[in-house]
Amino acid sequence: MATTAQWIEGARPRTLPNAIAPVLAGTGAAAAIDGLVWWKAVLALVVSLALIVGVNFANDYSDGVRGTDDDRVGPLRLVGSELASPVAVKNAAIASLAVGAAVGLILAITTAWWLLLIGAGCLAGAWFYTGGSKPYGYSGFGELAVFVFFGLIGVLGTQFVQAERIDWVGAVLAVAVGAFSSAVLVANNLRDIPTDTVSGKTTLAVKLGDPRTRTLHLVLLAIPFLATLALLARTPFALAGLLAAPLAIRANAPVRGGRSGLELIPALRDSGLALLVWSAFTALALGFA
């Protein structure tokens, strides 16, 4: 029987920056066009948090029943470690996704009906990442999905539900946040190349191989700072995003240093922190522009 602390760890709280950052960035983009609506920003945050917790439990369930987590190096998995039954973890995933769907329905009703279609796509993406007979996360599309769901949809969706339109600033922010979020997953999958190869989980890292995956991590961390330069066309305060640079450099240090296994966990943590800091300061800069 898993303890409360183990259930919290199983929800993978270190991934929460990937859910918070898109809402911060999207709210900053909405504020930049005088469209900030605080209660919709709060609801968007609830949706984003519920979805990422849901997808984490769904991954725990699906990977656990497939046996992918039988020899895991990274954070605790409830099913793989036999601390919780597959049914219990599956129900936790469904409950979390249901919360996201319910709150998302409120946003759709108060904004535009077609957002329901995007919401349905997000739910399907969350489940079939590692679920179903042919999970796309096992075919090298995980990073692309993260870029789309936690970058493009997360940021532009947050901007749209508040301002009811999007602009080039939101698009730049969406690309930057998507790149950061993908960098977190790249670091995770770099760490898991040996075990994923054995279990038949063909992630993008497995396809690219170790050296090219390390290069990809660096490229993804550089993109947001190029976005910072682009945002100078909107406001000079966008330079505040550079405050995240030390964290990004620190995040890439274990990767470029050739570290592996548990030694790569700081790369995941610091990539997420860089994402959160960049999004927060850039959103503030746009809000004051």
Side-chain angles (χ1 to χ4, degrees):
M1 180 71 69
T3 65
T4 299
Q6 288 168 332
W7 273 104
I8 292 173
E9 187 178 355
R12 302 185 70 182
R14 289 182 180 177
T15 65
L16 295 186
N18 294 66
I20 298 170
V23 179
L24 289 176
T27 299
I33 52 178
D34 299 321
L36 189 151
V37 181
W38 71 267
W39 64 270
K40 285 190 172 183
V42 171
L43 292 185
L45 180 60
V46 172
V47 171
S48 191
L49 288 170
L51 288 181
I52 202 165
V53 171
V55 76
N56 286 339
F57 280 134
N59 292 348
D60 191 310
Y61 164 75
S62 297
D63 285 344
V65 297
R66 280 191 171 87
T68 308
D69 289 338
D70 289 348
D71 188 23
R72 184 169 178 80
V73 176
L76 172 74
R77 288 297 184 99
L78 295 165
V79 175
S81 60
E82 298 184 350
L83 288 170
S85 71
V87 172
V89 176
K90 181 181 181 179
N91 288 340
I94 292 172
S96 298
L97 295 176
V99 170
V103 178
L105 179 61
I106 297 172
L107 286 173
I109 291 172
T110 56
T111 308
W113 69 267
W114 52 263
L115 290 173
L116 292 173
L117 300 177
I118 294 179
C122 291
L123 291 174
W127 185 258
F128 291 108
Y129 173 54
T130 56
S133 59
K134 294 183 179 180
Y136 64 85
Y138 281 45
S139 300
F141 294 106
E143 284 79 3
L144 177 60
V146 166
F147 182 83
V148 171
F149 291 121
F150 290 101
L152 303 186
I153 293 177
V155 175
L156 293 175
T158 299
Q159 183 185 26
F160 184 82
V161 297
Q162 296 180 65
E164 298 195 10
R165 65 186 179 96
I166 59 176
D167 68 346
W168 73 269
V169 170
V172 170
L173 289 167
V175 169
V177 170
F180 260 136
S181 293
S182 296
V184 176
L185 184 57
V186 166
N188 179 83
N189 289 342
L190 172 64
R191 179 200 65 203
D192 292 342
I193 285 177
T195 54
D196 284 344
T197 300
V198 171
S199 65
K201 186 176 182 179
T202 310
T203 63
L204 181 61
V206 171
K207 288 186 174 183
L208 292 177
D210 188 287
R212 285 188 291 181
T213 300
R214 293 178 189 273
T215 300
L216 177 60
H217 186 260
L218 176 61
V219 170
L220 290 170
L221 288 179
I223 289 174
F225 299 103
L226 296 177
T228 293
L229 299 180
L231 290 170
L232 290 177
R234 178 64 178 81
T235 173
F237 294 130
L239 285 173
L242 295 179
L243 292 171
L247 283 170
I249 293 170
R250 192 173 75 179
N252 187 246
V255 177
R256 66 177 180 271
R259 302 299 177 89
S260 60
L262 292 174
E263 294 176 321
L264 283 169
I265 290 180
L268 278 76
R269 178 198 64 209
D270 293 335
S271 294
L273 287 175
L275 161 64
L276 191 59
V277 170
W278 186 91
S279 299
F281 279 108
T282 302
L284 284 172
L286 292 169
F288 284 112

